[in-house]
């Protein structure tokens, strides 16, 4: 059994697609996979959330959502506005432990970044990761500004006693600019861990079979893929 916490450097960086890609490859090799979403915000009760997207892309994986809040805010703020109870780190860690008892891999997808607050006590995804002793995977953007956000995330993780597994670019543009191409070499330095994958933008719109193939091409052998960071960086750098 292993638990991996997936944190973005911010909102909209591709955490759900990365989570689904890791789950899809694990499922392909026969692992029992569970995905935990401690708090889903900005989605009504009758609307499909991130976990529905994971199941659509990855296939038959177990999913569990602890709380859902309709307002597109941080989990703490959304809980406060809705009057619903917040998610406490201990509750999320307990849920992860229960899933881990009957699965080979548990993926915990955060909401926003590593220090987004879940409750009025200041509980965060970092606290959940620490309580589980879980590795943290950082999902980053490709372009300008991503190095600072990635470095901040990694530094916070390290200061809190967490280990960063590496970094994945969640949405690689069709026509990467100079900053994106340059960042391929600099992101591992900022993250303090290897570049473990680059997934193309728009991947969530393809069929499941296409998704699995793109996941295999875009993720490191660490996840069961074939991604080679040196080859990808060299190829991207050759683009003009």
């Amino acid at each position: 059994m292993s638990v991996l916490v997936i944190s973005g450097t911010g909102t909209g960086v591709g955490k759900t697609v990365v989570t689904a890609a890791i789950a899809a490859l694990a499922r392909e090799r026969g692992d029992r996979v569970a995905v935990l979403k401690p708090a889903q915000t900005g989605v009504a009760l009758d609307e499909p959330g991130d976990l529905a997207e994971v199941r659509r892309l990855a296939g038959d994986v177990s999913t569990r959502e602890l709380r859902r809040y309709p307002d597109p805010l941080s989990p703490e703020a959304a809980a406060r506005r809705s009057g619903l109870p917040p998610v406490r780190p201990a509750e999320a860690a307990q849920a992860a432990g229960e899933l881990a008892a009957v699965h080979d891999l548990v993926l915990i997808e955060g909401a926003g970044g590593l220090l987004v607050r879940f409750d009025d006590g200041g509980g965060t995804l970092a606290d959940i990761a620490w309580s589980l002793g879980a590795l943290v995977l950082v999902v980053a953007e490709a372009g300008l500004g991503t190095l600072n956000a990635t470095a901040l995330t990694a530094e916070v993780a390290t200061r809190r006693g967490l280990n960063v597994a590496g970094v994945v670019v969640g949405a690689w543009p069709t026509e990467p600019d100079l900053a994106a191409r340059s960042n391929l070499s600099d992101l591992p330095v900022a993250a303090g861990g290897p570049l473990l994958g680059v997934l193309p933008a728009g991947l969530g719109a393809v069929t499941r079979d296409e998704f699995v193939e793109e996941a295999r091409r875009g993720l490191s052998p660490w996840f069961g893929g074939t991604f080679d960071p040196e080859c990808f960086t060299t190829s991207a750098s050759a683009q003009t």
Side-chain angles (χ1 to χ4, degrees):
M1 179 280 301
S2 62
V3 178
L4 181 66
V5 170
I6 299 172
S7 176
T9 54
T11 300
V13 298
K15 289 190 306 298
T16 299
V17 167
V18 171
T19 300
I22 295 171
L25 293 189
R27 179 177 173 273
E28 284 286 302
R29 63 176 178 262
D31 287 353
R32 298 168 299 169
V33 184
V35 180
L36 173 65
K37 182 81 174 180
Q40 172 77 70
T41 65
V43 179
L45 290 176
D46 58 348
E47 295 178 336
D50 290 342
L51 294 183
E53 184 72 353
V54 169
R55 288 191 298 271
R56 183 181 69 82
L57 294 170
D60 186 19
V61 299
S62 301
T63 57
R64 185 171 177 185
E65 180 184 282
L66 298 186
R67 211 86 78 244
R68 178 176 290 209
Y69 310 108
D71 293 311
L73 303 169
S74 71
E76 181 204 11
R80 187 171 62 244
R81 278 185 53 86
S82 68
L84 296 170
V87 177
R88 307 286 182 187
E91 179 186 2
Q94 179 179 348
E98 292 169 353
L99 291 170
V102 291
H103 293 86
D104 301 304
L105 175 65
V106 177
L107 304 173
I108 304 176
E109 183 187 341
L114 194 61
L115 292 188
V116 170
R117 290 165 64 101
F118 280 83
D119 61 23
D120 53 5
T124 66
L125 186 64
D127 295 310
I128 297 170
W130 182 86
S131 66
L132 293 165
L135 287 171
V136 174
L137 179 68
V138 179
V139 180
E141 293 183 286
L144 195 64
T146 193
L147 297 180
N148 181 64
T150 301
L152 288 171
T153 300
E155 182 171 334
V156 164
T158 301
R159 285 180 176 271
R160 291 188 173 223
L162 306 177
N163 291 317
V164 175
V167 60
V168 171
V169 175
W172 183 252
T174 304
E175 297 182 0
D177 60 12
L178 176 62
R181 299 195 302 272
S182 176
N183 286 341
L184 289 172
S185 297
D186 295 330
L187 273 170
V189 178
L195 180 64
L196 293 177
V198 175
L199 296 178
L203 187 54
V206 303
T207 67
R208 183 177 297 169
D209 288 344
E210 291 171 329
F211 182 80
V212 172
E213 287 306 310
E214 288 291 347
R216 187 172 289 113
R217 280 193 289 267
L219 290 178
S220 162
W222 201 69
F223 300 113
T226 60
F227 175 79
D228 184 321
E230 292 186 8
C231 289
F232 188 90
T233 300
T234 299
S235 175
S237 298
Q239 298 181 32
T240 57

